[in-house]
Amino acid sequence: MGILNVTPDSFSDGGAHFSLDLALSRARRMVEEGADIIDVGGESTRPGSRGVSLQQELDRVIPVISAISAEIPIPVSVDTSKPQVMRESVAAGAGLINDVTALRQPGALQAVRDLGVPVCLMHMLGEPRSMQRQPVYRDVVTEVRRFLEERVNACKSVGIAREKLLLDPGFGFGKNLQHNLTLLKNLRTIADIGLPLLVGTSRKSMIGKILDDRPVDGRLSGSLATVVMALERGAAIVRVHDVAATTDAVRVASAVLAAD
Ligand code: YH5
């Protein structure tokens, strides 16, 4: 899964506009480099960030989803927590919902049930604005697993088929470095829930911290190490910025995992 951020900071022309052409060419390139899904996100969910308004998020993502789903041959997912954005994105061609709040916003469960598309449920402790203020767990692996199982049950109770669900432990979302490392090492415990796992560690601060505060643009090799470890522990999808390098790593790791 290739990440396509459509926030003004990622597609800025200096002002508040971003270019549809630039988004389209990035999507095309990720497909050439081996992406199987393009994840379009218009709300910054980085630690400390505030949300964006409904209209602002729609204005950012809908034109991009329409353009790329009409032109490129792979599914488009939308990284959103807002039911109205989910509805309009699927109408514009999105085939998957990626919700970092695991359908906890009012109306989100019903929206996904009505739309009939697959959905990724991610664990987050707290909310983006406050989540990195000293997160505390007694047992991070057990607590993330229980949370995801509770959201699977919430989906079941509104009539979302189990076959539509993907799960994600939510690296960096209300977790410190030790929490993230423990979760990755014990990812099998989350995979054992029995649903496909999506993992997003690409360029995240856990990698920067391990590598002595390496800036974002020097985190590729570290990101690839986490991808390989996640695949070995049963991850089905990796959400990444660097598609070409990740495709090579996934192909090599998969060949080894498929050997006798
Ligand atoms: C995720 O893990 N993450 S948005 C901070 C960074 C780098 C990247 C430089 N959406 C996930 O990608 N959806 C995001 O430091 C996600 N899983 C799923 N399913 C945050 C992000 C990032 C944040």
Side-chain angles (χ1 to χ4, degrees), residues 1 3 5 39 43-47 79 98-100 120-122 168 170-171 173 198-205 216 219 239 241:
M1 173 185 275
I3 300 169
N5 283 320
D39 188 44
E43 180 186 27
S44 179
T45 41
R46 289 183 186 203
D79 189 341
N98 173 27
D99 182 7
V100 300
C120 179
L121 306 170
M122 197 196 80
D168 185 333
F171 286 96
F173 286 85
L198 193 158
V199 165
T201 49
S202 181
R203 299 185 187 174
K204 282 187 179 171
S205 70
V216 173
R219 296 180 186 173
R239 179 182 177 278
H241 301 85

Side-chain angles (χ1 to χ4, degrees), residues 34-102:
D36 296 316
I37 304 170
I38 304 290
D39 188 44
V40 176
E43 180 186 27
S44 179
T45 41
R46 289 183 186 203
S49 67
R50 309 180 83 112
V52 297
S53 74
L54 172 62
Q55 195 55 52
Q56 198 166 43
E57 197 177 334
L58 289 170
D59 291 346
R60 290 176 184 177
V61 300
I62 300 303
V64 173
I65 291 170
S66 299
I68 64 185
S69 57
E71 204 208 299
I72 69 169
I74 61 172
V76 174
S77 86
V78 59
D79 189 341
T80 191
S81 301
K82 296 186 179 73
Q84 190 66 20
V85 177
M86 296 173 185
R87 292 183 190 278
E88 297 197 27
S89 295
V90 171
L96 169 67
I97 308 286
N98 173 27
D99 182 7
V100 300
T101 70

Side-chain angles (χ1 to χ4, degrees), residues 8 45 85 89-90 95 125 139-140 146 172 187-188 190 195 200:
T45 41
V85 177
S89 295
V90 171
L125 184 71
D139 175 342
V140 66
R146 291 229 173 97
L187 196 66
R188 265 290 166 206
I190 310 298
L195 289 168

Side-chain angles (χ1 to χ4, degrees), residues 29-30 32-35 220 224 240-251:
R29 187 159 82 145
M30 288 197 281
E32 285 167 11
E33 291 177 345
L220 173 57
L224 296 174
V240 303
H241 301 85
D242 304 283
V243 173
T246 302
T247 299
D248 282 358
V250 169
R251 288 173 63 190

Side-chain angles (χ1 to χ4, degrees), residues 127-174:
E127 33 188 274
R129 271 201 76 185
S130 58
M131 65 187 177
Q132 292 307 100
R133 293 181 204 149
Q134 297 207 22
V136 176
Y137 299 86
R138 196 183 61 80
D139 175 342
V140 66
V141 178
T142 302
E143 288 170 44
V144 168
R145 178 171 170 147
R146 291 229 173 97
F147 171 88
L148 293 172
E149 288 172 333
E150 184 273 316
R151 297 315 297 159
V152 170
N153 285 332
C155 287
K156 181 177 176 170
S157 70
V158 299
I160 300 171
R162 190 175 169 89
E163 291 66 38
K164 302 284 185 193
L165 303 180
L166 302 156
L167 302 178
D168 185 333
F171 286 96
F173 286 85

